[in-house]
Amino acid sequence: MQPIDLDNWPRKQHFELFKHFSQPYFNVCVRLDTQALYDYCKTNQLSFFQAYVYCTLKACHKVDSIMLRIIDSKPWLLSSVRASVVELSENDTFVFSYFNSTREFKEFASHANAVSKKAKLQPLFSDAFAQTEGQADLIHISVLPWLNFSAFSHAFSEGESLGIPKFVFGQFDKHTGTMPLAIDVHHSLMDGLHVAKFINILQGTFDTFCRGSL
């Protein structure tokens, strides 16, 4: 990662304004067109879940604002991110799986399968949790495949934040071919315009994946 030159950064005043808010995140909830991605995964016997997580990681690496973090009260730009993904365990509680970004989907799917299998055999506070959670180079992803929601809010605690983006994917609607996505981002680092740009990139990443070019 590299530090942002705060004195010459156009967001300097915005950064200073929002970084001390007790709740500095804002939420945007949108509907993604995922019909083509869903059909492609079903036709090729791929995991739809793994595909949109993979695409989300790919999209994040294309948008600088998503890669920004707050470390020691200063803005930093990451060069890569991993995904902290909430997955359902057999006892109807959840665990965290930590997925690395990979160049090819085949490699990602193999990696994700192994990570998920191991995570579901561990308690919530696993060794992986202790070694990984809270690090800056993460994005947080939750999945609610039972709910076709139109709004979402997260639990949060007081105190300083790293500015990690939070993504929540909802139920795929087979009638409309869409899926809800809630995004929480830190207002010191991003505005609505940046979220809109990210959504466009993510949608394009889905389309590229379906062409077998990702």
Side-chain angles (χ1 to χ4, degrees):
M1 62 184 181
Q2 63 186 47
I4 298 295
D5 182 358
L6 188 58
D7 289 336
N8 293 301
W9 192 34
R11 291 194 61 80
K12 178 181 179 179
Q13 292 185 341
H14 304 74
F15 180 79
E16 297 293 349
L17 173 64
F18 289 109
K19 75 175 183 179
H20 295 301
F21 274 37
S22 59
Q23 204 304 81
Y25 281 81
F26 71 91
N27 174 276
V28 175
C29 191
V30 300
R31 302 201 68 82
L32 298 170
D33 181 356
T34 50
Q35 184 69 66
L37 182 65
Y38 181 85
D39 291 344
Y40 181 85
C41 289
K42 293 304 178 185
T43 299
N44 293 278
Q45 297 183 313
L46 305 175
S47 166
F48 178 54
F49 159 70
Q50 290 177 352
Y52 63 72
V53 171
Y54 174 78
C55 288
T56 301
L57 280 168
K58 288 290 186 182
C60 285
H61 285 89
K62 296 179 180 180
V63 181
D64 281 353
S65 55
I66 287 284
M67 303 290 282
L68 291 170
R69 297 293 183 272
I70 302 171
I71 301 172
D72 294 331
S73 298
K74 301 290 179 61
W76 291 73
L77 178 65
L78 301 179
S79 59
S80 64
V81 291
R82 300 170 288 167
S84 170
V85 182
V86 173
E87 294 199 88
L88 188 68
S89 60
E90 292 185 358
N91 63 0
D92 286 350
T93 62
F94 68 85
V95 293
F96 294 105
S97 293
Y98 300 100
F99 298 152
N100 296 328
S101 180
T102 63
R103 182 179 294 274
E104 304 290 340
F105 178 72
K106 183 177 180 180
E107 180 186 358
F108 179 81
S110 178
H111 162 69
N113 284 333
V115 169
S116 293
K117 182 178 180 179
K118 183 176 181 180
K120 291 176 182 179
L121 296 174
Q122 305 296 319
L124 176 64
F125 297 138
S126 63
D127 289 342
F129 178 93
Q131 296 166 5
T132 311
E133 199 59 47
Q135 296 183 13
D137 65 329
L138 294 174
I139 59 172
H140 291 158
I141 296 179
S142 296
V143 179
L144 298 176
W146 321 277
L147 296 175
N148 196 343
F149 58 79
S150 58
F152 193 89
S153 63
H154 282 277
F156 66 92
S157 61
E158 300 288 345
E160 293 187 4
S161 168
L162 293 170
I164 294 174
K166 307 174 191 296
F167 303 90
V168 183
F169 291 91
Q171 182 183 64
F172 172 70
D173 188 334
K174 294 182 180 180
H175 298 291
T176 64
T178 63
M179 183 169 64
L181 170 64
I183 304 179
D184 283 62
V185 295
H186 199 292
H187 215 343
S188 282
L189 305 175
M190 295 179 66
D191 299 322
L193 174 63
H194 305 104
V195 175
K197 289 180 177 178
F198 173 79
I199 292 298
N200 288 334
I201 293 291
L202 178 60
Q203 188 69 64
T205 303
F206 288 167
D207 298 337
T208 302
F209 184 92
C210 294
R211 293 196 296 270
S213 304
L214 190 64

